[in-house]
Amino acid sequence: MSTPLASRTSRSLHRRTFLAAGAAALAAVGAPSPAWAATGPRVTTAFTLPGDRVYPEGIALDRRTGDVYVGSFTTGEIYRAASGRRSAEVFLPAGTDGRTTANGLKVDRAGRLWVIDHTTGIDVYDPRDRSLLARFGLPDGSGGFLNDLVITADGTVYATDSLRPLIYRVTPAETARARGGRLPLTPHFDLSDSLPPLPSGAYALNGIAADASGRFLFPVDMAGGGLYRVDTATGAVRRVTLHGGDLTHGDGLELRGGTLWAAHNATHTLTRWRLSPHGTTARLERRLTTPALQIPTTLVRDRGHLLVVRSQFDKGGPMGEGVPETPFTVARVTGI
């Protein structure tokens, strides 16, 4: 999802640089064309989040129930907005199971909620009774920054590391074996030979999507602006050829059919891309840039619209000083 702190003091300079680059990119993007402006898109509020220090980061939709889950980066609190409700409620309080931050969230086909804590690993919950089913932990002192995850058609989970070019994997068999306990997270794909070199401490891999079959993963390199295709069967990595733009500041991704949506956090931007049948090229179809998105960290497609997390990370959160607008909200975006 986003690029928040593992150490607030040591990375403050990097964030200021990040925001300055985002401002420059925002100016370069410009306004949508008149033809597009005549038809939309439209940004409204889907639901509110309780609390004045939320700084939301991840989002997950339970497609069986319509319930939406959102996580707080600054507290680790998890919220649930029941289907059709205009306000979310606390689902898991801050500090639950020792968690003080939350990044990527997903709900699998069995209804289990997966929650990333970038410092420790991934927790798996049963939403029916809010019990912790399993925990997959990063090794102590690993130096990683777990960021986002995707669940493929067969139930395999893949998660990105933003400080190292790694993708972790949790198989359905490991999920069953870890029930009631803990297993270590181990890297499965290493993209070191594919990503451009970055300064130490810079963030690279962020959002990740998968095709319907689970054959291909599509992680984004937010620093280099590239999208990559990872073959889950062979491990082969290929950079996707992008036409019409790039994915700089790319954060959360959503892939449905051949359409890929991306949230670009620092530039308050959403983009929509058309992937080729084999995922080797992608063409930019639409771009929306507006301060109303409030540093969007991720998004999910729901019944013809996007639900977009408005993090406000630049207003007193991990990306800048200031005072956030409250209540924190999740946006509904139509027409993109």
Side-chain angles (χ1 to χ4, degrees):
M1 303 291 167
S2 65
T3 60
L5 296 156
S7 167
R8 292 181 183 272
T9 54
S10 65
R11 293 180 186 161
S12 61
L13 178 61
H14 173 68
R15 282 193 177 81
R16 289 195 294 271
T17 303
F18 182 88
L19 283 175
L26 179 60
V29 167
S33 67
W36 182 17
T39 59
R42 185 181 181 210
V43 180
T44 58
T45 295
F47 56 85
T48 61
L49 302 167
D52 58 5
R53 300 291 297 173
V54 176
Y55 297 105
E57 217 282 351
I59 192 168
L61 170 65
D62 186 338
R63 298 192 182 279
R64 306 171 315 152
T65 65
D67 293 347
V68 180
Y69 298 87
V70 178
S72 167
F73 174 71
T74 50
T75 70
E77 203 158 49
I78 306 298
Y79 312 95
R80 179 167 64 184
S83 179
R85 296 293 299 271
R86 296 300 304 273
S87 60
E89 298 177 343
V90 174
F91 178 71
L92 296 171
T96 299
D97 300 308
R99 186 180 52 259
T100 59
T101 185
N103 290 46
L105 276 70
K106 286 291 186 297
V107 175
D108 64 21
R109 290 186 175 182
R112 296 169 297 200
L113 175 65
W114 295 68
V115 180
I116 286 182
D117 175 334
H118 72 269
T119 64
T120 61
I122 307 176
D123 294 335
V124 189
Y125 287 93
D126 184 340
R128 294 172 299 181
D129 59 8
R130 311 183 192 204
S131 61
L132 179 65
L133 298 175
R135 174 166 281 178
F136 297 91
L138 282 172
D140 292 339
S142 67
F145 188 108
L146 278 184
N147 204 324
D148 201 4
L149 73 160
V150 68
I151 305 175
T152 57
D154 68 351
T156 302
V157 176
Y158 296 92
T160 57
D161 190 321
S162 289
L163 288 179
R164 300 178 298 175
L166 303 175
I167 296 176
Y168 297 83
R169 185 184 73 172
V170 178
T171 66
E174 289 171 324
T175 302
R177 193 161 69 248
R179 189 173 183 87
R182 177 187 177 109
L183 284 179
L185 271 175
T186 55
H188 191 69
F189 298 118
D190 188 333
L191 279 66
S192 298
D193 294 335
S194 301
L195 298 182
L198 290 173
S200 176
Y203 297 96
L205 294 181
N206 199 322
I208 184 170
D211 70 349
S213 70
R215 173 67 185 273
F216 296 123
L217 305 176
F218 295 93
V220 64
D221 171 15
M222 68 172 301
L227 182 70
Y228 293 81
R229 190 195 73 174
V230 181
D231 189 319
T232 58
T234 67
V237 180
R238 174 172 179 163
R239 182 163 182 160
V240 178
T241 300
L242 301 178
H243 298 282
D246 62 34
L247 284 163
T248 303
H249 303 301
D251 205 324
L253 303 177
E254 174 84 340
L255 178 59
R256 303 291 297 275
T259 301
L260 177 74
W261 290 270
H264 303 243
N265 50 37
T267 57
H268 311 285
T269 296
L270 303 178
T271 54
R272 190 184 80 195
W273 303 77
R274 170 58 58 178
L275 276 177
S276 63
H278 297 289
T280 56
T281 66
R283 185 171 300 278
L284 180 63
E285 292 185 328
R286 283 196 168 181
R287 177 191 287 114
L288 168 65
T289 299
T290 171
L293 294 172
Q294 299 179 318
I295 308 290
T297 51
T298 192
L299 69 173
V300 66
R301 185 77 171 170
D302 179 30
R303 294 173 293 183
H305 59 260
L306 297 176
L307 297 176
V308 181
V309 174
R310 290 162 153 166
S311 75
Q312 297 195 72
F313 276 1
D314 61 335
K315 294 183 173 64
M319 285 170 61
E321 303 300 326
V323 179
E325 296 179 15
T326 55
F328 286 85
T329 63
V330 168
R332 177 183 289 106
V333 182
T334 57
I336 184 171

